[in-house]
Amino acid sequence: MAGVQTAVALRELGFTGPVAVLGAEPHQPYDRPPLSKAVLLGTAEGSAFDIDFEALDVELRLGVEVTGVRTGAHEVDTATGPVPYDVLVLATGAEPITLPGASGVPGVHLLRTLDDAARLRPLLAEKHDIVVVGAGWIGAEFATAARQAGCAVTVVEAADRPLAGTMPAEVAAPMAAWYAQYGAELLTGARVDAVEPGTVVLAGGRRIPAGAVVVGIGARPATGLLAGSGIELGPDGAVVADRWLRASAPDVYAVGDCASYPSGRYGERLLVHHWDNALQGPRTVAAGITGDEGTTGAAGIEPYDPVPYFWSEQFGRFVQYAGHHGTADTLLRRGDPTEDAWSVLWLRGGALVALLAVGRPRDLAQGRKLIVSGAALDPGRAADPSVPLKAAARPL
């Protein structure tokens, strides 16, 4: 998404120079969200972007893995030789974290690429017993798809609740009931001791039969190729980008899952591994590049600081999140979390900074606008699910 959208945005802004997109996979560039849904269940063959690259005069170099970057020479290294650049945009995404001791064990899978989904699809069609390691967003989505396919599903989570890495306990705890309601078994506080062919062994000795094991324990920026490049990486492995998504080396930008950026809105550096970030960031990058080319005034480019947003379809629910709740000082509930539709609001100094909406898309749509405006909310009205969220805003 990030690489392709950068190329598209460059052309939309009038850039006329050559544009090449290099990608290690042999497939036409594709969208990732359908991989855990329609592609996995066989209701769609693929999710290639509907983009005419030839008409855009964008060169696709598929099956070309970049192995290194030499910023001094303005070249990237590939198996077939160096490729020079005037401007380099890093859109390498993220790579899934593997389960220690499980690499190379037959039947263990990740779900990140089109090939991953293709390997998993027949296992779901054959209704294998599935063990999912990790009750995060991807684990929940895969468990949902596997149950829809008729598989027996056990989800193993080391923490005491789902979404432990992203949501506070009081928000995530009610979501544990969703698994049983959908016919999946959720085991929390359960650590994997070993993975054997056909079996997952938990600490304590319990053995769970597994026709397939799907690991969803997180992802990290895919920046290993930048070793020795001189491009600054943060402790999280992300490219340290500035407010215009420029990396530390001259003529290098970084966008999407591989890059962190300083947010003036939230007062901290953010690393956002979500689709919307890969859609929006390229516009800032393209504006910076065309500004450097003299077609626009670089000084007029807005710093990159969107309201982060993502969605997840799991266990018959549409879950949406906007903002960043790390610096919030107040949590408000809208509705009963044991019901099908409810929201959670996070405030800082009385203003909305983030919200989670389950089956309440209007809350999400109105809440995003309130976050952008910085308007303070009346807590009593904001906590009343019968009051439109926008009606809870105090006059600016």
Side-chain angles (χ1 to χ4, degrees):
M1 170 63 82
V4 163
Q5 289 299 325
T6 299
V8 171
L10 282 167
R11 292 301 187 226
E12 288 178 342
L13 290 180
F15 182 78
T16 57
V19 176
V21 178
L22 280 63
E25 294 184 62
H27 311 291
Q28 286 287 309
Y30 59 88
D31 208 5
R32 293 191 189 278
L35 298 185
S36 60
K37 305 172 185 71
V39 173
L40 192 63
L41 291 171
T43 57
E45 287 303 312
S47 57
F49 292 116
D50 185 17
I51 296 171
D52 190 335
F53 292 98
E54 185 176 352
L56 286 175
D57 192 22
V58 170
E59 179 186 4
L60 288 183
R61 301 187 191 178
L62 304 178
V64 177
E65 181 178 2
V66 175
T67 56
V69 177
R70 289 177 289 114
T71 55
H74 273 53
E75 290 181 338
V76 299
D77 291 320
T78 73
T80 57
V83 178
Y85 67 82
D86 294 313
V87 176
L88 174 65
V89 179
L90 297 168
T92 53
E95 56 193 5
I97 297 172
T98 57
L99 186 66
S103 297
V105 177
V108 176
H109 300 264
L110 301 168
L111 180 54
R112 181 71 184 180
T113 69
L114 188 60
D115 290 335
D116 291 337
R119 283 187 287 266
L120 283 163
R121 188 162 67 182
L123 300 178
L124 267 60
E126 294 161 12
K127 296 181 171 46
H128 283 255
D129 291 347
I130 306 289
V131 173
V132 181
V133 181
W137 299 111
I138 191 66
E141 290 195 0
F142 181 83
T144 299
R147 285 297 301 136
Q148 288 176 340
C151 300
V153 178
T154 302
V155 181
V156 177
E157 171 56 53
D160 63 353
R161 63 187 186 277
L163 299 175
T166 56
M167 291 289 147
E170 62 267 37
V171 174
M175 298 177 177
W178 298 356
Y179 289 76
Q181 292 169 8
Y182 218 69
E185 182 180 12
L186 173 63
L187 303 177
T188 56
R191 294 189 175 274
V192 175
D193 189 55
V195 179
E196 302 170 356
T199 306
V200 173
V201 183
L202 302 183
R206 177 174 174 179
R207 302 174 69 87
I208 306 174
V213 178
V214 178
V215 178
I217 56 175
R220 57 185 160 223
T223 54
L225 63 95
L226 300 178
S229 68
I231 296 172
E232 182 184 359
L233 303 180
D236 52 12
V239 177
V240 176
D242 69 7
R243 295 190 299 163
W244 294 274
L245 301 181
R246 298 176 300 197
S248 60
D251 304 317
V252 179
Y253 292 79
V255 64
D257 291 3
C258 71
S260 68
Y261 61 90
S263 170
R265 187 188 312 279
Y266 293 105
E268 60 184 284
R269 181 167 286 274
L270 299 182
L271 174 60
V272 180
H273 280 183
H274 296 300
W275 184 91
D276 193 63
N277 181 48
L279 174 67
Q280 295 200 57
R283 299 167 188 163
T284 297
V285 171
I289 293 172
T290 54
D292 291 340
E293 292 293 316
T295 56
T296 65
I301 300 170
E302 288 292 324
Y304 186 65
D305 198 10
V307 174
Y309 167 74
F310 73 88
W311 79 95
S312 176
E313 296 175 72
Q314 54 182 269
F315 308 118
R317 294 167 170 86
F318 187 45
V319 183
Q320 295 172 283
Y321 177 90
H324 176 66
H325 64 266
T327 59
D329 53 40
T330 302
L331 184 148
L332 297 176
R333 293 191 181 277
R334 279 172 64 82
D336 184 346
T338 64
E339 301 293 336
D340 290 336
W342 49 275
S343 297
V344 173
L345 313 178
W346 285 272
L347 279 62
R348 183 182 65 204
L352 186 67
V353 293
L355 78 157
L356 176 78
V358 178
R360 291 183 66 95
R362 288 186 179 179
D363 280 2
L364 193 288
Q366 294 175 17
R368 287 181 83 175
K369 295 177 181 178
L370 290 170
I371 294 172
V372 171
S373 73
L377 299 185
D378 179 305
R381 290 176 62 78
D384 184 345
S386 68
V387 175
L389 192 53
K390 62 182 179 182
R394 300 183 190 275
L396 288 174

